[in-house]
Amino acid sequence: MTSADLLVDAFGRVRENVHAAVPGLTRDELAARLDPGANSIAWLVWHLTRVQDDHIADAAGSEQVWTAAGWAERFGLPFDDAATGYGDNPDEVAQLGAVSADLLLGYHDAVHARTVDYVSGLTDADLPRVVDTRFDPPVTLGVRLISVVDDDIQHAGQAAFIRGVLLRRR
């Protein structure tokens, strides 16, 4: 097994978790928040996918799926196309209230396909490349990819928790 194989597996687990949290929920359930300041499943999945899209596109030197494939227009959110949800306030989280499960999963699957295409071609020699000098120490490609997996898995777990609460309330 190579590093690329491990990364493909890790991002595949993110996709599996997203696909376990979203299907079968109504728009109202996807938008539900356990308290007024909490994130919704829709926001969590959109955010984790936006971060993955942003970071993979940056590492690959390519345009984000969000803009390249028209997902920004399909979502119709009142955010700048560069927005990933980082630091969003409760009013901004609420903007994801009208999205459907199909829209969320479609965007996530498109980003996942782009991610797998990129990471499957990586070698161990690619991973020490510095991709972000804003930190001390600078962030390498390997560290950035693991950071995205970690963030995505946490948010997918939060979405799964909310799903469980909502299904018990039905």
Side-chain angles (χ1 to χ4, degrees):
M1 181 171 263
T2 66
S3 297
D5 294 333
L6 291 171
L7 290 164
V8 168
D9 182 76
F11 282 106
R13 291 171 190 238
V14 171
R15 183 180 180 277
E16 289 170 9
N17 284 311
V18 166
H19 275 265
V22 172
L25 297 178
T26 66
R27 290 175 194 246
D28 286 344
E29 288 170 325
L30 290 169
R33 298 190 301 179
L34 300 183
D35 72 48
N39 296 324
S40 65
I41 293 171
W43 184 90
L44 288 162
V45 171
W46 172 80
H47 167 66
L48 75 84
T49 306
R50 287 293 300 121
V51 169
Q52 185 177 331
D53 191 7
D54 174 75
H55 287 24
I56 296 298
D58 183 59
S62 63
E63 185 177 354
Q64 294 179 29
V65 173
W66 182 246
T67 52
W71 290 100
E73 290 83 19
R74 282 180 247 177
F75 273 76
L77 299 171
F79 306 142
D80 183 273
D81 284 348
T84 62
Y86 183 76
D88 276 3
N89 64 43
D91 291 336
E92 291 163 326
V93 170
Q95 296 298 315
L96 272 287
V99 302
S100 69
D102 288 343
L103 188 64
L104 287 168
L105 293 175
Y107 175 50
H108 185 78
D109 287 349
V111 170
H112 175 74
R114 174 67 180 110
T115 298
V116 167
D117 181 60
Y118 175 68
V119 301
S120 64
L122 295 176
T123 67
D124 288 351
D126 296 317
L127 300 178
R129 176 173 61 93
V130 172
V131 295
D132 193 340
T133 58
R134 295 174 296 168
F135 300 92
D136 186 19
V139 178
T140 63
L141 177 59
V143 168
R144 174 59 46 86
L145 293 171
I146 293 303
S147 175
V148 172
V149 169
D150 176 58
D151 188 63
D152 282 2
I153 290 289
Q154 288 187 56
H155 288 318
Q158 292 165 350
F161 172 79
I162 297 167
R163 177 189 179 91
V165 170
L166 295 174
L167 292 180
R168 282 191 299 279
R169 290 180 179 173
R170 280 186 174 173

